[in-house]
Amino acid sequence: MKKKYFATTFSKMTLSFVLFGLIPLLLLSLLFFFRYSSALRQNMLHSYFSMTSYISKNVGDVLNSVDETLGSVYDYRDDTGRSLADLLKDDGISQSEREQEVDAVLREMMGTNEYVSSFRLIDYRGQIYSLYYNQDKTLSKEGYEYMMGDVNTNEEDLTQLKLFGTIPEDKICINSEDYVFGMMRSYMDTSTIESARNESLGLLYADVNVEVIGDIVKKSGIPVNHFYIYSASPSRYIYSVQSEDYLDGNDPLEFCENLLDGSRGCERIGNRWVFYEPVEGMDAYAVMVVDNSELMGSLFQIRTMMILILCFAGAFLLLLYMTF
C-alpha cells in the first residue's frame, strides 16, 4: 500500500506552514535585508564622509588662521614706522636692541592668534629669536639644528608655506611634554619686486599644540580610533589618534597614500574603508580609516538576528513534526 505523506491534518498544516509561512518569510526577509543593507550602507558611508569633511574644514580654518598670522609680519611697524625688514637689516643698532624689537614683533603676532604656542625667527645672519606662550619653555640648542634640517633656503620658490609633522616638543625646547606641529614661511625682503621673490631675510616658524586639532576631532564625536591629518609632501603626520604615529618610520597610511592626489572621496581597500578630504589651502588631508565590520556593525547584527529567527522557526517546526 502506497504511503500517504500528507494524509493527516498535521502534515497538511506543516506543509501549509512551510509553503505559506516559512518560505515567504525567508524570501521577504532576504528582500528586506538586501534593500535595507544597501540603504544603510550608503547612509553610513555618507555619515563618515561628512564627519571627515567637517573635521577637514575646521582644521583648515585653524591652519589658514596661523598662516595669516605668519603673513601679518609684513604689516608690522614700530613707533618710528620701521618694518621688521628694516630692523633686521639695520647695522646701526646692537644685537640686544634688535632682539628687543623682534620680541615686540613676535608678541604682537602671538596676541592675534589663540592657536599658536610659540614663534621662532631665524634671520639671515643666523640669529635665533623665539617666543613661547608658556614662558617656562625655552628653545634648546637642538631646536635650531632640528628645524634647519628640514629647510633648504636655496629652493626656487621661497614663498611657499611648509608644514612640519608633529613631534615631541622636547626635541626643540626644554620644559615641555607637549606634541607640536610647525608651519614655516620665509620672510622675504619686500623692498623691491626682485628681492621679494628671491631674497629671504629669515625663516619664521609657528608651532601649534596638536591638542588644538585633538579638540576638533573629539568634538566631532567620531567613533573610530584611526583618524589622521596627513601632509602628503613630504609624508608626515600632523595629527593621529595614536601618538606613536608621530615617531620616525611609522606610516599607518602607507597602504592608501596613492589615493591622496588632491581629490576627495572614499574607497574600500581590503577590509577597510578610507575616507579622505583635502584640507583647504594646505597640502594636507583629513583621513579616516574604518574597518568594514565597524562601519556595518548594525547591519551585521540585523543579519544575525534574522538567521536566528529563521533557525528557531525551522527547529520548532521540526520538533513538532517529530512529536506528532
Side-chain angles (χ1 to χ4, degrees):
M1 183 177 177
K2 190 176 181 179
K3 186 177 180 179
K4 297 181 180 180
Y5 291 98
F6 304 107
T8 66
T9 301
F10 176 74
S11 297
K12 294 177 181 179
M13 291 178 63
T14 300
L15 180 62
S16 299
F17 177 77
V18 171
L19 293 178
F20 302 107
L22 191 59
I23 293 178
L25 176 62
L26 176 61
L27 294 176
L28 289 174
S29 297
L30 290 175
L31 178 63
F32 169 78
F33 176 77
F34 285 118
R35 286 194 174 183
Y36 178 77
S37 64
S38 178
L40 178 62
R41 177 176 173 274
Q42 292 301 320
N43 288 336
M44 293 300 293
L45 291 175
H46 182 268
S47 176
Y48 278 95
F49 190 75
S50 296
M51 284 189 284
T52 305
S53 298
Y54 168 82
I55 298 175
S56 174
K57 179 183 181 304
N58 283 274
V59 170
D61 290 343
V62 170
L63 299 186
N64 283 288
S65 170
V66 175
D67 189 27
E68 289 177 6
T69 301
L70 289 174
S72 69
V73 69
Y74 291 100
D75 300 326
Y76 174 81
R77 296 292 184 276
D78 66 5
D79 295 337
T80 62
R82 292 181 300 175
S83 67
L84 177 59
D86 296 329
L87 297 171
L88 294 178
K89 294 190 295 182
D90 189 354
D91 293 327
I93 61 175
S94 66
Q95 182 58 29
S96 60
E97 290 175 317
R98 184 177 290 108
E99 289 175 357
Q100 292 178 1
E101 294 289 351
V102 173
D103 184 74
V105 176
L106 300 181
R107 288 184 182 277
E108 182 173 302
M109 295 171 63
M110 182 75 76
T112 63
N113 196 296
E114 61 180 318
Y115 305 120
V116 177
S117 62
S118 66
F119 284 107
R120 277 181 310 284
L121 174 66
I122 305 175
D123 70 13
Y124 69 102
R125 304 171 191 262
Q127 296 293 325
I128 306 172
Y129 313 86
S130 63
L131 177 68
Y132 286 87
Y133 182 81
N134 181 349
Q135 297 185 8
D136 291 333
K137 298 178 181 180
T138 305
L139 184 68
S140 66
K141 294 181 179 179
E142 293 78 13
Y144 176 78
E145 288 84 0
Y146 185 87
M147 300 305 289
M148 287 300 293
D150 276 341
V151 178
N152 180 1
T153 55
N154 294 320
E155 292 179 359
E156 292 183 2
D157 193 351
L158 294 171
T159 62
Q160 292 296 311
L161 174 71
K162 292 178 177 60
L163 281 173
F164 296 92
T166 295
I167 59 171
E169 194 176 26
D170 61 11
K171 282 192 173 184
I172 57 176
C173 80
I174 61 175
N175 299 328
S176 178
E177 297 179 354
D178 297 328
Y179 284 82
V180 297
F181 64 90
M183 302 174 65
M184 187 276 289
R185 278 194 180 276
S186 293
Y187 178 58
M188 309 302 292
D189 182 359
T190 57
S191 57
T192 67
I193 296 177
E194 184 65 23
S195 63
R197 294 177 179 174
N198 302 309
E199 186 174 341
S200 173
L201 295 177
L203 304 174
L204 181 60
Y205 297 88
D207 285 337
V208 180
N209 192 311
V210 74
E211 287 305 314
V212 172
I213 296 181
D215 289 341
I216 295 174
V217 174
K218 291 175 184 177
K219 289 178 182 178
S220 72
I222 61 171
V224 296
N225 294 321
H226 303 286
F227 186 86
Y228 311 90
I229 301 297
Y230 175 77
S231 176
S233 180
S235 60
R236 42 171 69 114
Y237 291 86
I238 306 300
Y239 174 81
S240 172
V241 177
Q242 311 296 331
S243 60
E244 57 266 23
D245 292 334
Y246 303 136
L247 303 177
D248 293 338
N250 280 20
D251 192 5
L253 294 181
E254 184 178 7
F255 73 100
C256 65
E257 288 177 0
N258 62 306
L259 298 177
L260 308 180
D261 57 0
S263 60
R264 61 197 293 262
C266 64
E267 296 285 343
R268 182 174 179 176
I269 301 178
N271 197 41
R272 291 177 289 188
W273 283 92
V274 181
F275 303 84
Y276 51 97
E277 176 90 13
V279 177
E280 184 178 359
M282 300 288 158
D283 186 17
Y285 296 83
V287 183
M288 186 187 301
V289 180
V290 186
D291 288 339
N292 190 56
S293 59
E294 186 176 356
L295 178 72
M296 306 301 289
S298 59
L299 180 62
F300 294 154
Q301 292 176 0
I302 294 173
R303 182 180 64 183
T304 302
M305 183 62 66
M306 288 173 54
I307 293 174
L308 290 174
I309 292 173
L310 292 173
C311 289
F312 176 79
F316 182 71
L317 177 62
L318 180 62
L319 179 64
L320 287 176
Y321 190 80
M322 294 173 62
T323 302
F324 294 98

